[in-house]
């Protein structure tokens, strides 16, 4: 089985990556292949997993991810830095087990006459405006839904629901559900202006389209990346045809993961 390592630059991560590489090279069942891997081991935290996802985006349907965390939050990274041997043993016994989660498709049209863009996010995409209020129309399934005024909007996957989405008051969604969510950032609500004020979760056949009143001075992100500074006509969000696959050698119940990461370790852990 072909395995790649994608590490951040931290001291511990680099040490873990070196140990992993040595064990993979010594294994008769594993082969190191950074170009066409079947398994990608990210070493760092969730941010490193996001970077690994974007690095291997074009081959995403052929890859399963595994994460080792080295002192970060590590919400989506199942293995600790002292478990390198156990992970390599599991890789050697691999029988293709995996779990897959939905991704966010982002399609952008511009007013400059140039080509449209499309992107895929593992966590979320945000549209923000820093100088002044962002004013946009929101359509759901091509029907006008509301006019939003505020700092911005965050459209997230279930995987991303525990990231930025959580900080702006979105709901946490178990990634077994095929859905996307749009959450508000500091909406203006008074006698004159009104938004729903709640996160909205839509099913797979519904597209969320955002049409900014002003094409300029908007900031569009996809996970940790700033993706466009061109004048935006509209952005359409839907569930992507591709999914992300994780090699599931151990299973942590999603809600246990949530409570361990955000509330604290239980006495019985
Ligand atoms: P960062 O600012 O270095 O890290 C943001 C934090 O979010 C880290 O603690 C990271 O965990 C955690 N995280 C990332 N994905 C997560 C997920 N799916 N569930 C739970 N926690 C998660 O930025 P980064 O490492 O480059 O990551 C980019 C992500 O940061 C964006 O996709 C966005 O979700 C998030 N972000 C959040 C805010 C906010 O909450 N106000 C603002 C900007 C961006 P690790 O420590 O394990 O890496």
């Amino acid at each position: 089985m072909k395995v790649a390592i994608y590490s951040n630059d931290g001291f511990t991560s680099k040490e873990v990556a070196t140990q992993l590489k040595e064990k993979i090279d010594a294994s008769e069942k594993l082969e190191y292949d950074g170009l066409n891997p079947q398994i990608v081991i990210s070493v760092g935290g969730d941010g490193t997993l996001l970077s690994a996802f974007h690095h291997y985006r074009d081959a995403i349907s052929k890859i399963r991810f595994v994460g080792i965390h080295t002192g970060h939050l590590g919400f989506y990274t199942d293995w600790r830095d002292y478990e390198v041997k156990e992970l390599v043993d599991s890789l050697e016994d691999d029988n293709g087990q995996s779990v897959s989660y939905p991704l966010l498709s982002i399609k952008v049209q511009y007013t400059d006459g140039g080509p449209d863009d499309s992107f895929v996010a593992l966590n979320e995409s945000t549209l923000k405006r820093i100088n002044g209020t962002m004013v946009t129309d929101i359509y759901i399934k091509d029907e006008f839904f509301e006019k939003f005024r505020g700092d911005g909007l965050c459209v997230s996957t279930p995987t991303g629901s525990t990231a930025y989405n959580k900080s702006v008051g979105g709901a946490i969604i178990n990634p077994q559900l095929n859905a996307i969510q749009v959450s508000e950032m500091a909406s203006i609500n008074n006698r004159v202006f009104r938004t729903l004020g709640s996160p909205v979760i839509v099913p797979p056949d519904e597209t969320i389209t955002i049409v900014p009143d002003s094409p300029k001075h908007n900031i569009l992100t996809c996970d940790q990346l700033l993706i466009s500074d061109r004048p935006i006509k509209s952005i359409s969000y839907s569930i992507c045809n591709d999914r992300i696959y994780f090699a599931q050698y151990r299973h942590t119940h999603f809600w246990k993961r949530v409570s361990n990461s955000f509330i604290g370790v239980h006495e019985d852990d």
Side-chain angles (χ1 to χ4, degrees):
M1 191 166 65
K2 295 178 176 179
V3 182
I5 301 168
Y6 190 97
S7 170
N8 70 16
D9 286 336
F11 178 76
T12 313
S13 301
K14 280 182 172 170
E15 275 201 336
V16 168
T18 305
Q19 283 174 39
L20 260 176
K21 176 80 168 50
E22 283 168 8
K23 290 204 183 315
I24 290 166
D25 288 344
S27 168
E28 287 179 3
K29 294 184 177 169
L30 307 175
E31 178 191 342
Y32 188 85
D33 187 339
L35 285 180
N36 294 301
Q38 295 161 289
I39 296 273
V40 172
I41 307 172
S42 85
V43 185
D46 295 318
T48 317
L49 180 69
L50 281 175
S51 301
F53 166 78
H54 286 283
H55 184 83
Y56 288 103
R57 162 71 192 103
D58 291 342
I60 212 73
S61 56
K62 297 181 210 135
I63 289 175
R64 287 176 293 147
F65 289 87
V66 187
I68 298 188
H69 78 90
T70 54
H72 290 251
L73 174 66
F75 185 77
Y76 271 100
T77 51
D78 279 337
W79 300 80
R80 293 303 314 266
D81 45 1
Y82 46 79
E83 294 178 308
V84 171
K85 182 182 176 309
E86 288 86 341
L87 173 56
V88 172
D89 289 347
S90 298
L91 288 169
E92 289 183 324
D93 292 339
D94 179 90
N95 60 15
Q97 60 269 59
S98 71
V99 60
S100 76
Y101 297 142
L103 297 167
L104 177 69
S105 157
I106 309 163
K107 295 194 186 320
V108 195
Q109 292 188 318
Y110 301 98
T111 58
D112 60 9
D116 298 349
D117 267 337
S118 59
F119 306 93
V120 176
L122 174 55
N123 270 351
E124 80 285 293
S125 170
T126 64
L127 183 70
K128 295 185 269 192
R129 193 182 161 106
I130 36 172
N131 58 339
T133 303
M134 186 180 92
V135 184
T136 64
D137 287 340
I138 301 180
Y139 294 79
I140 301 180
K141 218 177 172 180
D142 296 329
E143 294 280 336
F144 177 74
F145 182 71
E146 67 176 10
K147 188 172 276 292
F148 172 88
R149 289 179 175 82
D151 279 6
L153 292 161
C154 173
V155 184
S156 62
T157 63
T159 301
S161 69
T162 47
Y164 207 153
N165 168 74
K166 181 176 178 297
S167 302
V168 295
I172 295 188
I173 302 181
N174 187 320
Q176 286 172 7
L177 289 176
N178 225 5
I180 54 172
Q181 170 171 200
V182 54
S183 308
E184 300 179 346
M185 295 178 197
S187 58
I188 300 177
N189 274 291
N190 54 35
R191 206 153 35 85
V192 188
F193 302 128
R194 179 136 308 279
T195 65
L196 185 69
S198 311
V200 171
I201 299 167
V202 304
D205 63 329
E206 297 192 351
T207 299
I208 295 168
T209 305
I210 297 177
V211 181
D213 270 20
S214 166
K216 292 191 179 161
H217 310 298
N218 298 302
I219 295 169
L220 179 62
T221 69
C222 168
D223 296 334
Q224 72 276 56
L225 311 165
L226 180 69
I227 49 176
S228 186
D229 53 8
R230 290 168 60 195
I232 294 169
K233 183 175 170 193
S234 69
I235 310 161
S236 289
Y237 294 106
S238 56
I239 291 182
C240 188
N241 292 332
D242 292 335
R243 293 172 69 85
I244 183 167
Y245 293 84
F246 290 94
Q248 196 177 40
Y249 300 126
R250 38 167 71 155
H251 179 69
T252 311
H253 188 281
F254 177 73
W255 296 110
K256 182 151 186 122
R257 218 181 257 270
V258 171
S259 90
N260 281 347
S261 296
F262 297 107
I263 296 169
V265 178
H266 295 290
E267 279 176 12
D268 59 353
D269 281 340

